[in-house]
Amino acid sequence: MSVVPAVMEVPLFCAASAAQGLDLPAVLREVVESQRYILGRHVQVFEEAFAAYVGVPHSIGVANGTDALEIALRALGMGPGRRVLTVANAGFYASTAIRTVGAEPVYAEIDTSTLNLSAEALSEALADQRLDAVVVTHLYGRLANMPAIAPLCRAAGVPLIEDCAQAHGARQAGRLAGAWGDVGCFSFYPTKNLGALGDGGALVTADKALAERMRALRQYGWGAKYEVAHEGGRNSRLDELQAAVLAAKLPLLDAANARRRAIAARYGAAFSHLPLQAPLADGEDDVAHLYVVRSARRDALRAHLASQGIASDVHYPVPDHRQPLLGTTLASLHLPATEAACAQILTLPCFVGMTDQQVGHVIAAVVSFHDGVA
Ligand SMILES: *Cc1c(COP(=O)(O)O)cnc(C)c1O
């Protein structure tokens, strides 16, 4: 028997690596010493910087990405009796928000090459049923087909919400994720492409009246201080500590996305001859939040990677319409492309602080699985 070599461990994420070179303790100390912890200067500075980055006039910091979706839906008048179209392969986040406001999720199929909302499926749904809003998710960091989707919604008079929680900085023709629809919703969960040291989120919009409603909804529904003017008010504020961290990290975002894309491009080249469906992830429309391959032998591949010290995960294994919460209520709904994808997808490590050796180790393990060397 040969000697077992030391296994190189490769985690799925390293949240801290996108802050390389930043003195975050100093950033935090400055906020602590400012003695203002809620809706002060740091939130305002970050909101202005983030709006400018996305290229829209208004940004509103909130507590997390799920709240951002909920507040956007409420501000657009979604509630009981309203029908909101979305996809069923994006982790139930949009479904949670749609259900929380009392509206009904309507699931549309995905495009099998990008795993994002199919513009054709959207077009058919808009033609043959009443829809009150659309939530499009830029899944895995890849911008959905917005040059087709945005005009379809506009022509139908249906408001469009973008879930940009995985796509900070993704762009096409110079237009960023969040700047295509009526509202863009972001999460700053620590592992996202722009991550805080805890929970955080933001809304972006070009619509001033909508921005004012969303700003009111994040803080008790206040019009003016202590005057409740809006139904559906919440306490969902981004705090000063997180805003200061995010403002410090925002200037590093494009470089961090470029590093993710470089890892994805190396994977893509190495996997091109394998019986795997690998994402393209080489253009500016993809910020490689998650590097997701499709394999007919997904579970065996996953076990092989684990045996080589390589973490992997499935984003997401259970389609929304099959979640246990729903019981059999949507049993008759079949989304073949969505269900097939959920059974075959596997997320490989792709994060900013990943070393070239770690990338090489993942490539070698994926190749050896297919060579049958393992
Ligand atoms: C992370 C995520 C969310 C939720 O964000 P939280 O800040 O965790 O509430 C929503 N949508 C997508 C696509 C996500 O990846």
Side-chain angles (χ1 to χ4, degrees):
M1 235 180 84
S2 61
V3 175
V4 179
V7 173
M8 181 190 284
E9 296 287 334
V10 187
L12 195 58
F13 300 115
C14 173
S17 52
Q20 262 161 10
L22 289 180
D23 185 358
L24 290 184
V27 170
L28 296 176
R29 195 173 319 113
E30 197 265 313
V31 179
V32 171
E33 286 166 4
S34 79
Q35 300 197 37
R36 172 116 193 216
Y37 307 126
I38 296 288
L39 296 190
R41 181 172 56 81
H42 296 90
V43 169
Q44 194 186 335
V45 164
F46 174 68
E47 286 177 342
E48 283 169 11
F50 195 62
Y53 176 80
V54 176
V56 293
H58 310 285
S59 163
I60 299 125
V62 294
N64 57 68
T66 309
D67 280 4
L69 289 164
E70 183 190 324
I71 290 168
L73 288 161
R74 268 195 214 285
L76 288 164
M78 295 305 113
R82 300 303 178 113
R83 295 161 49 80
V84 183
L85 181 139
T86 191
V87 289
N89 68 329
F92 210 78
Y93 304 107
S95 294
T96 295
I98 294 165
R99 290 166 54 90
T100 298
V101 304
E104 180 194 346
V106 176
Y107 296 111
E109 265 292 23
I110 55 170
D111 177 307
T112 50
S113 64
T114 64
L115 308 186
N116 275 326
L117 173 64
S118 154
E120 261 170 45
L122 171 64
S123 171
E124 283 166 22
L126 285 168
D128 67 27
Q129 55 189 300
R130 200 200 84 233
L131 294 170
D132 299 296
V134 170
V135 178
V136 61
T137 303
H138 306 304
L139 199 63
Y140 310 145
R142 186 194 183 109
L143 203 70
N145 183 3
M146 299 311 282
I149 290 168
L152 280 171
C153 290
R154 210 174 305 121
V158 173
L160 176 59
I161 296 170
E162 297 176 68
D163 182 348
C164 309
Q166 302 190 359
H168 318 66
R171 65 193 79 191
Q172 186 172 342
R175 185 181 285 225
L176 271 76
W180 293 81
D182 295 278
V183 186
C185 300
F186 290 85
S187 165
F188 304 121
Y189 183 82
T191 59
K192 308 291 189 189
N193 289 43
L194 180 61
L197 299 184
D199 278 313
L203 293 147
V204 298
T205 184
D207 182 327
K208 187 158 183 268
L210 197 54
E212 279 168 11
R213 271 202 303 286
M214 297 192 296
R215 208 172 275 285
L217 289 177
R218 81 165 164 190
Q219 178 155 253
Y220 318 123
W222 282 352
K225 196 174 181 185
Y226 305 135
E227 288 180 19
V228 180
H230 299 267
E231 190 68 69
R234 297 280 317 276
N235 174 359
S236 181
R237 295 172 296 220
L238 179 68
D239 68 62
E240 287 281 289
L241 284 167
Q242 300 304 346
V245 168
L246 291 165
K249 287 178 76 175
L250 181 59
L252 309 181
L253 176 58
D254 284 339
N257 285 343
R259 172 64 186 149
R260 286 175 184 268
R261 252 194 311 264
I263 295 167
R266 219 181 128 194
Y267 281 155
F271 300 159
S272 61
H273 65 290
L274 300 178
L276 273 183
Q277 186 180 321
L280 288 171
D282 55 357
E284 285 200 314
D285 63 331
D286 196 328
V287 291
H289 172 64
L290 296 174
Y291 189 85
V292 176
V293 298
R294 278 181 77 161
S295 166
R297 294 192 289 150
R298 188 260 311 273
D299 295 335
L301 173 58
R302 191 169 184 200
H304 176 70
L305 294 175
S307 77
Q308 306 293 304
I310 298 165
S312 64
D313 206 344
V314 176
H315 297 92
Y316 299 90
V318 184
D320 289 18
H321 61 298
R322 296 288 180 257
Q323 287 290 352
L325 166 71
L326 303 180
T328 56
T329 51
L330 294 178
S332 64
L333 174 63
H334 294 289
L335 298 167
T338 297
E339 290 157 27
C342 290
Q344 295 189 330
I345 48 177
L346 187 65
T347 304
L348 305 184
C350 181
F351 55 90
V352 175
M354 206 173 168
T355 65
D356 290 338
Q357 288 90 327
Q358 286 177 315
V359 177
H361 183 55
V362 175
I363 289 173
V366 171
V367 170
S368 74
F369 174 77
H370 291 93
D371 286 347
V373 168

